[in-house]
Amino acid sequence: MSGHAAAPLGKDLLGLEPLTSEQITLILDTAEPFKEISERVIKKVPTLRGATIVNLFFEASTRTRISFEFAEKRLSADTVNVASTGSSVQKGETLVDTARNLEAMRIDMVVIRHGASGAAQFLADRIESNVINAGDGMHEHPTQGLLDLLTLRDHFKRIAGIKVCIVGDVLHSRVARSNIWGLKKLGAHVAVCGPRSLLPNAIDELDVEVFERIEDAIDWADALNILRLQLERMQAGYIPSLREYNRVFGVSRERLERASRDVLILHPGPMNRGVEIDSDVADGPFSVILDQVTNGVAVRMAVLYLLSGGKPELAEAAKGGGSR
Amino acid sequence: MSRALLLRGGRIVDPSQRLDVIGDVYIANEKIESLGEAVDVGSRDDVDVIDCAGRVVSPGFIDVHCHLREPGREDVETIATGARAAAAGGFTAVCAMPNTDPVTDNQAAVGFIIRQAARAGASRVYPIGAISLGQRGESLAEFGEMVGAGAVAVSDDGKPVASAHLMRTALEYARTFGIPVADHCEEPTLAVGGAMNEGIVSARLGLKGVPNEAEEIMAIRDILLARRTGGHVHLCHMSTRGSVELIRWGKERGVNVTAEVCPHHLSLTEESVEGYDTNAKMNPPLRSAADVEALQQSVRDGTIDVIATDHAPHHYDEKEREFADAPNGIVGLETAFAVNVTWLVARGVIDVAMLVEKMSCAPARIFRLPGGTLRRGTVADVTVFDPDADWTVDPARFRSKGRNTPYAGQRLNGRVHLTAVDGRVIYRLEE
């Protein structure tokens, strides 16, 4: 695809750590006009017509894959979905062979979800096509971070100065890392809260506040981003039981009501209701969880548009016609 | 009968005799015949004369820790290619770890390595036998028979000995044969799944880390077991500042503990993993700058006795994959000396004599091997090098089949010019 050199984000989107605050803001600003397309009767513009995009999902995913696919289709790209089940990966093909084959098929973009940290960069270093990281191991999930930022910005009308606490299994969370980078670059105050066994040992060096009691986190925060607690963490001995986790760190309505201010609730999903988040919180008045899902499509459209060489200043015009 | 060899006019550095003089080294009948004084061979045609002016002549380097992959992975390295790589790196002898396939855990396997090494006719190769059968950590291998066949130490390197009881028994039993137990210090439940050092870089990259304590817990366990048993524990590839303190603690109390460090742990930090470079993936992992600093000082103050390579060749496509899934290890035989010169000698941490002590004299003494000295009448294993010459690492030119090095393209100080075993030149730099 032409336009790599001029692309305002560079060739790939591998994480939020390498991006500048200006680049992050650009993506969020570009997502704004794209939101409207999803409200139309015919949810489609010809912006990426003729572009071929491969969604390479080596790890199970429903919402991220569907969200990317909607974004691609609404921009009129041709898409192919590859999952590890049923692919040559199951027959032992390596990631580098997969990359070479994709390259040989002259595709334009790859969206990759992979269980190994660094897999997106591995691919990006070896192919000419644009690579978008849709989650790599415990590293980053940049589009999730971006949609969280967009949702927060929609609500607070700014990011700078707001206080966001990420709650739960930060140690294993790629969402947490992308959030920490994105929020800090845009000037938010960031904290984490969870059992120490689920926080990176070196978390203090990332310059974030650490709360060991969820009550303190709720009292401090303008928004909580509540991470999913995975069952295997319990089996691996990081916490004694899901029940205890809920009692010590679970975000319940009672705990929220004791706070001195309203606290916005985010969750990247899928949720374990009754574990990290109670249902009346997930479905409550301060929950923006479904807004996150809606924003996810717009953010991904913006990323696809910008990486393909779309001009930021023409994003509004791209709603109506091709810009490539 | 081999030809005589006259190494003329070099700087002879032999810490085993506290010797540092300019002079000739004359070798005949596979032995050091004379040292220091000028030798006039006139027009004799049975003597090879090599001008060593401006270069250092030292006892041949000895690597007490390398992986030669044969038997089992001859596509990655063979005893012959490994021995030639060793010669090119200035090593006159290397000790081969037993984590081959099958494991070197019996006298037949030990004998096989010795025969292959003899056939290669390059550097000497001393087999190290396994501590436990199949390196499974369950029951002791037959140390006595393996030593009888030529093994010089025992180790389950590549895997820690999880059972404290088995390690205690190994230390006790090894005393019978006067061999060290070379110890891979890694507490397995702390290290499980780890791909790099645990710290800020692992937190950022989303890679599971191995904390320093995984090494230190095993180091102190085995220092205590050596104190209990009187056995000789040799701690392999030390990587943390805490380990250095524990070794010092043991030595101050008279424990029979020795230790080695690898060139990569003396020169690189965890930052090398940035970009998920699998050539920076090793076990133990590259640590913090503070660890590197402490290790360098421990070489200087004698806490660490030996610098060993942990030469670990891998096929390029095994490293060409996701970081967490890539195998550990780098090749080291052909870069070790220059890395040590660049990061230790050129920066004033140690001098050339101390480097020779760590790469030759101490390994020979600790593993009770021939060499490590240029005394008259000893085996003529000699290395000639120029500590000031610089060169650029080009893995394509390695004698090793392995190309996996984080030093590719780097300019290093210190160049090996000649390696001789039993007075026979097995490597000479093309000039």
Side-chain angles (χ1 to χ4, degrees):
Chain A
M1 189 178 282
S2 62
H4 282 169
L9 300 183
K11 182 173 96 62
D12 312 296
L13 178 69
L14 304 180
L16 297 192
E17 186 185 2
L19 295 189
T20 63
S21 59
E22 291 76 20
Q23 287 173 313
I24 293 171
T25 303
L26 173 67
I27 298 170
L28 302 183
D29 290 346
T30 307
E32 291 292 349
F34 283 129
K35 280 185 190 174
E36 185 266 335
I37 296 170
S38 298
E39 305 298 326
R40 296 180 184 177
V41 177
I42 298 172
K43 302 174 179 59
K44 211 170 181 77
V45 294
T47 309
L48 291 187
R49 191 161 57 201
T52 50
I53 303 177
V54 177
N55 299 314
L56 206 57
F57 277 69
F58 290 124
E59 209 182 49
S61 162
T62 305
R63 73 186 61 206
T64 302
R65 183 178 58 77
I66 292 174
S67 181
F68 265 108
E69 210 176 330
F70 274 135
E72 291 153 3
K73 288 186 190 309
R74 285 174 192 178
L75 294 172
S76 299
D78 294 320
T79 64
V80 179
N81 293 324
V82 181
S84 54
T85 317
S87 77
S88 45
V89 173
Q90 264 198 333
K91 301 175 196 164
E93 182 170 283
T94 63
L95 189 54
V96 69
D97 285 335
T98 304
R100 287 181 188 139
N101 280 291
L102 290 173
E103 193 73 342
M105 285 184 239
R106 305 288 181 259
I107 55 155
D108 297 302
M109 302 179 110
V110 180
V111 177
I112 179 172
R113 153 80 52 108
H114 199 288
S117 300
Q121 177 163 348
F122 180 93
L123 197 64
D125 289 345
R126 285 160 181 79
I127 65 176
E128 292 281 315
S129 319
N130 310 105
V131 174
I132 299 172
N133 182 5
D136 62 328
M138 305 187 297
H139 177 221
E140 282 222 44
H141 190 353
T143 56
Q144 178 71 43
L146 289 162
L147 73 87
D148 291 342
L149 288 170
L150 187 62
T151 308
L152 288 163
R153 197 175 75 165
D154 285 351
H155 186 85
F156 293 105
K157 309 302 174 203
R158 65 194 165 93
I159 298 292
I162 65 168
K163 295 176 178 174
V164 181
C165 184
I166 303 161
V167 182
D169 182 3
V170 176
L171 181 64
H172 299 96
S173 173
R174 50 197 173 210
V175 175
R177 283 170 179 75
S178 287
N179 264 268
I180 289 171
W181 292 119
L183 287 164
K184 287 183 67 68
K185 280 169 192 269
L186 296 194
H189 302 292
V190 183
V192 295
C193 177
R196 278 283 179 177
S197 55
L198 289 177
L199 301 180
N201 193 247
I203 188 76
D204 300 328
E205 294 177 55
L206 284 176
D207 192 26
V208 299
E209 198 144 344
V210 179
F211 290 109
E212 292 179 351
R213 294 179 68 248
I214 187 66
E215 292 83 359
D216 295 340
I218 291 171
D219 217 33
W220 175 86
D222 298 315
L224 297 179
N225 197 349
I226 304 165
L227 303 174
R228 185 168 76 94
L229 198 80
Q230 295 166 358
L231 194 61
E232 58 264 34
R233 303 296 166 227
M234 194 183 81
Q235 288 158 347
Y238 287 97
I239 53 165
S241 69
L242 296 181
R243 178 180 166 276
E244 171 151 315
Y245 182 86
N246 177 255
R247 292 176 73 89
V248 181
F249 291 99
V251 179
S252 64
R253 196 172 72 185
E254 292 72 33
R255 282 182 166 141
L256 288 175
E257 283 173 349
R258 280 203 295 270
S260 54
R261 60 179 126 180
D262 295 339
V263 181
L264 201 69
I265 299 296
L266 293 89
H267 192 303
M271 289 181 284
N272 298 306
R273 291 168 181 260
V275 181
E276 72 270 4
I277 187 168
D278 285 0
S279 277
D280 48 7
V281 174
D283 304 329
F286 303 112
S287 168
V288 286
I289 294 169
L290 293 176
D291 297 338
Q292 290 174 269
V293 178
T294 306
N295 283 338
V297 178
V299 155
R300 287 167 181 129
M301 289 170 79
V303 168
L304 293 163
Y305 171 77
L306 292 170
L307 283 182
S308 71
K311 301 248 184 313
E313 63 275 18
L314 297 179
E316 182 71 34
K319 285 163 53 182
S323 69
R324 298 172 65 233
Chain B
M1 191 153 152
S2 65
R3 293 168 60 79
L5 181 65
L6 176 60
L7 303 172
R8 176 172 278 165
R11 176 185 164 198
I12 304 166
V13 175
D14 181 5
S16 77
Q17 307 177 67
R18 297 176 184 274
L19 192 69
D20 192 340
V21 296
I22 307 281
D24 296 350
V25 177
Y26 182 61
I27 296 163
N29 301 319
E30 302 178 357
K31 299 281 191 288
I32 305 288
E33 191 75 22
S34 75
L35 189 69
E37 65 252 37
V39 175
D40 183 7
V41 293
S43 57
R44 283 171 56 185
D45 59 3
D46 63 338
V47 182
D48 291 326
V49 180
I50 294 171
D51 179 18
C52 294
R55 290 173 187 153
V56 173
V57 181
S58 81
F61 304 150
I62 298 171
D63 184 17
V64 298
H65 190 144
C66 71
H67 299 270
L68 300 186
R69 305 299 188 210
E70 184 180 0
R73 285 303 305 271
E74 291 83 353
D75 58 323
V76 173
E77 192 82 288
T78 64
I79 288 163
T81 58
R84 285 198 284 273
F91 291 97
T92 51
V94 298
C95 299
M97 282 294 176
N99 59 337
T100 47
D101 184 14
V103 170
T104 309
D105 62 1
N106 60 74
Q107 62 172 333
V110 169
F112 167 78
I113 292 167
I114 286 176
R115 285 194 301 279
Q116 290 296 83
R119 197 171 295 161
S123 300
R124 302 175 197 272
V125 178
Y126 298 112
I128 294 178
I131 292 173
S132 66
L133 281 175
Q135 292 192 312
R136 285 190 294 272
E138 293 164 0
S139 55
L140 289 184
E142 293 169 334
F143 293 7
E145 288 211 323
M146 291 195 292
V147 170
V152 298
V154 288
S155 179
D156 271 359
D157 185 60
K159 292 180 181 172
V161 176
S163 159
H165 170 71
L166 188 77
M167 180 53 90
R168 174 197 171 142
T169 314
L171 285 163
E172 285 169 333
Y173 191 58
R175 287 187 66 179
T176 313
F177 310 100
I179 54 167
V181 176
D183 189 7
H184 176 116
C185 295
E186 182 182 357
E187 206 295 311
T189 63
L190 270 181
V192 65
M196 67 171 298
N197 184 47
E198 180 178 314
I200 183 65
V201 181
S202 68
R204 282 182 31 240
L205 295 181
L207 291 170
K208 185 158 182 345
V210 180
N212 287 16
E213 288 75 11
E215 176 174 298
E216 293 157 5
I217 286 168
M218 287 301 236
I220 193 59
R221 183 197 77 172
D222 295 341
I223 289 168
L224 292 172
L225 290 174
R227 182 169 71 163
R228 164 65 54 183
T229 60
H232 174 188
V233 65
H234 175 77
L235 305 178
C236 295
H237 43 53
M238 291 289 97
S239 71
T240 79
R241 54 192 184 278
S243 293
V244 170
E245 289 170 21
L246 297 171
I247 295 161
R248 195 173 292 132
W249 181 90
K251 286 189 167 182
E252 284 168 359
R253 281 155 186 77
V255 179
N256 194 358
V257 53
T258 55
E260 72 189 33
V261 63
C262 300
H264 42 272
H265 291 125
L266 292 167
S267 57
L268 304 175
T269 69
E270 59 190 336
E271 306 284 336
S272 301
V273 177
E274 293 282 1
Y276 301 95
D277 182 358
T278 56
N279 281 324
K281 186 183 180 192
M282 47 202 88
N283 187 22
L286 298 173
R287 303 286 188 182
S288 71
D291 291 306
V292 173
E293 164 77 18
L295 291 168
Q296 289 184 352
Q297 290 309 316
S298 72
V299 171
R300 179 193 175 104
D301 69 22
T303 308
I304 297 269
D305 305 272
V306 169
I307 305 178
T309 68
D310 197 7
H311 174 80
H314 292 288
H315 206 251
Y316 76 91
D317 60 0
E318 292 173 308
K319 280 283 193 182
E320 180 86 344
R321 57 178 310 154
E322 301 87 316
F323 192 89
D325 296 337
N328 287 307
I330 61 168
V331 289
L333 286 169
E334 289 165 87
T335 53
F337 169 71
V339 169
N340 293 336
V341 170
T342 306
W343 269 275
L344 299 176
V345 178
R347 296 178 187 200
V349 179
I350 60 173
D351 60 15
V352 166
M354 180 73 92
L355 183 59
V356 173
E357 159 69 14
K358 301 293 176 185
M359 292 187 71
S360 177
C361 310
R365 197 169 59 241
I366 290 169
F367 277 58
R368 300 174 183 85
L369 305 174
T373 180
L374 295 176
R375 284 182 203 282
R376 283 190 190 86
T378 60
V379 293
D381 289 4
V382 183
T383 301
V384 179
F385 60 84
D386 181 346
D388 300 318
D390 57 5
W391 60 290
T392 301
V393 178
D394 177 7
R397 297 173 68 87
F398 284 170
R399 268 75 172 172
S400 170
K401 288 189 179 184
R403 301 284 181 263
N404 46 307
T405 173
Y407 302 105
Q410 286 196 28
R411 194 127 192 103
L412 300 180
N413 295 114
R415 194 96 218 242
V416 172
H417 279 264
L418 179 145
T419 311
V421 170
D422 284 334
R424 184 173 59 87
V425 175
I426 55 167
Y427 170 78
R428 199 163 175 193
L429 180 67
E430 293 166 16
E431 293 177 275

